[in-house]
Amino acid sequence: MMMQQAPPVNRDIDLRGEQPGRLVFDRGGLVLAEYVYEPQDAQLESPRPYLSPLRTLGGEVVSLFRPHDHVWHKGIAWSLPVVGDENFWGGPTFVRDEGYVQLANNGTQQHLGFRETSGGSQARVRENLDWITEAGVRLFSEEREFSCEIIDDRSWVLVFTTTMRNETDATISMGSPTTRGRDNAGYGGLFWRGPRSFTGGALHAPGGSGGEELRGTREPWMGFSGQHDGSGAWSTIVMVDDPANHGSPPQWFARTELFASLCPAPFFSTEVPVAPGENLRLRYAAVIADGNSDHDDAAQLAAAGLAALTSFPPQRKVAP
């Protein structure tokens, strides 16, 4: 008797525009991700583009939008709390010897236009943005590129690239609350906030699986497995650092106890100066998968993320 072959995996992703200011990544009627490039957020929340909701191939939502404890957390977003003295993260700023203070420094990442939006087996977006302070000063221009690609019947990968150019006549240092005096709070970068039900989930890294004790460790990748309310299903997200990034492997800002989050933080404990006219380029992959992962499975997902990163031409490492 001849064995029936499994049907081929549908790898096509349709990319379409929706209003207001939103791109939708659709795979066979299932929206995997929505990219909101013209958010209608209050200035306090440092308005910036974000990806939310995010779904697994099985339809489970693996992101959280505007949680009441941190309304500036939005799915996956490129968010930086210390850009010189400006805040492009949202909310209050950590001030040495004072703690968190609400300042008039919540900047905006302003969408200027798309250079490319294309669907297919690798749906891709290329975008231009400006980084504008609350006072109206343009600090950086940014070229952003990201793509969505199906890996197999349980996982897909997001590859995110940013190139930021200092458009001022002064050096601007990128940092974090830790570089300004708060211990082990080095958040800032490509930040993912997970569903409420993921609280208490498991972190995975090359050295093993665990919890909050992994925050601040240096690893080339880190993953998070959590369980959904309602369906009771499990999902896993694994984020991978490009080995060519400045400071690679990064320290990770990862939480499991208060909320679920992952962030490869390139400026966790050391500020990185960007000189006038200099570019800072960083790249990451995020693999989103159905199912609960142990360490070995998370490592395989990380390998798939690294393969997606290395399928692009290597980047130039920017000196600090």
Side-chain angles (χ1 to χ4, degrees):
M1 180 182 296
M2 294 183 62
M3 298 291 292
Q4 287 188 335
Q5 292 185 339
V9 175
N10 174 19
R11 299 183 184 276
D12 287 337
I13 298 174
D14 179 39
L15 180 58
R16 64 177 187 271
E18 290 191 354
Q19 296 299 324
R22 185 179 300 255
L23 290 176
V24 170
F25 294 79
D26 184 295
R27 188 249 194 167
L30 174 66
V31 175
L32 296 179
E34 298 183 27
Y35 183 59
V36 180
Y37 58 89
E38 291 180 341
Q40 305 300 308
D41 297 332
Q43 197 66 45
L44 173 73
E45 299 174 28
S46 291
R48 61 199 180 280
Y50 57 84
L51 287 150
S52 184
L54 294 159
R55 293 182 177 86
T56 68
L57 296 180
E60 298 289 351
V61 175
V62 291
S63 61
L64 189 61
F65 173 74
R66 206 171 178 271
H68 65 77
D69 50 40
H70 298 79
V71 294
W72 43 89
H73 290 181
K74 297 177 172 75
I76 289 182
W78 180 240
S79 307
L80 302 181
V82 176
V83 181
D85 292 325
E86 306 300 325
N87 178 342
F88 289 85
W89 172 274
T93 296
F94 187 84
V95 179
R96 191 182 300 273
D97 300 325
E98 294 185 43
Y100 281 99
V101 181
Q102 186 58 57
L103 304 174
N105 70 341
N106 290 117
T108 299
Q109 296 174 27
Q110 183 178 36
H111 168 81
L112 299 179
F114 291 115
R115 303 192 311 282
E116 178 184 0
T117 57
S118 58
S121 60
Q122 186 186 74
R124 181 173 296 192
V125 173
R126 300 171 65 212
E127 180 185 18
N128 289 105
L129 307 98
D130 276 343
W131 290 51
I132 310 294
T133 70
E134 189 167 342
V137 178
R138 178 176 180 244
L139 298 186
F140 285 91
S141 60
E142 181 190 0
E143 294 184 1
R144 180 176 300 183
E145 179 177 344
F146 61 92
S147 62
C148 297
E149 188 173 3
I150 306 298
I151 297 174
D152 52 32
D153 60 1
R154 67 169 288 228
S155 59
W156 63 277
V157 61
L158 166 75
V159 174
F160 178 93
T161 304
T162 177
T163 303
M164 297 176 61
R165 177 180 176 84
N166 184 346
E167 298 292 351
T168 75
D169 58 3
T171 296
I172 300 173
S173 290
M174 308 294 216
S176 75
T178 292
T179 67
R180 297 297 169 96
R182 186 185 176 201
D183 184 53
N184 209 21
Y187 55 82
L190 191 64
F191 181 81
W192 166 77
R193 175 71 185 260
R196 290 277 181 193
S197 64
F198 278 26
T199 304
L203 292 171
H204 310 288
S209 299
E212 293 263 334
E213 72 278 3
L214 295 179
R215 176 157 44 110
T217 58
R218 286 192 180 274
E219 303 285 3
W221 60 266
M222 193 170 286
F224 196 115
S225 292
Q227 189 173 20
H228 297 276
D229 287 334
S231 68
W234 288 77
S235 298
T236 298
I237 179 169
V238 177
M239 299 182 76
V240 184
D241 185 68
D242 190 315
N245 284 345
H246 169 77
S248 183
Q251 289 177 272
W252 287 79
F253 183 81
R255 302 300 307 263
T256 63
E257 293 178 3
L258 294 179
F259 51 79
S261 69
L262 282 176
C263 176
F267 323 117
F268 190 109
S269 58
T270 303
E271 296 204 354
V272 175
V274 183
E278 184 178 35
N279 289 334
L280 179 67
R281 190 167 190 252
L282 296 161
R283 304 178 70 237
Y284 304 95
V287 180
I288 296 168
D290 287 298
N292 191 9
S293 290
D294 58 15
H295 172 266
D296 291 343
D297 182 65
Q300 292 180 9
L301 295 174
L306 182 61
L309 282 170
T310 54
S311 68
F312 293 92
Q315 72 179 86
R316 176 176 62 89
K317 182 177 286 190
V318 178

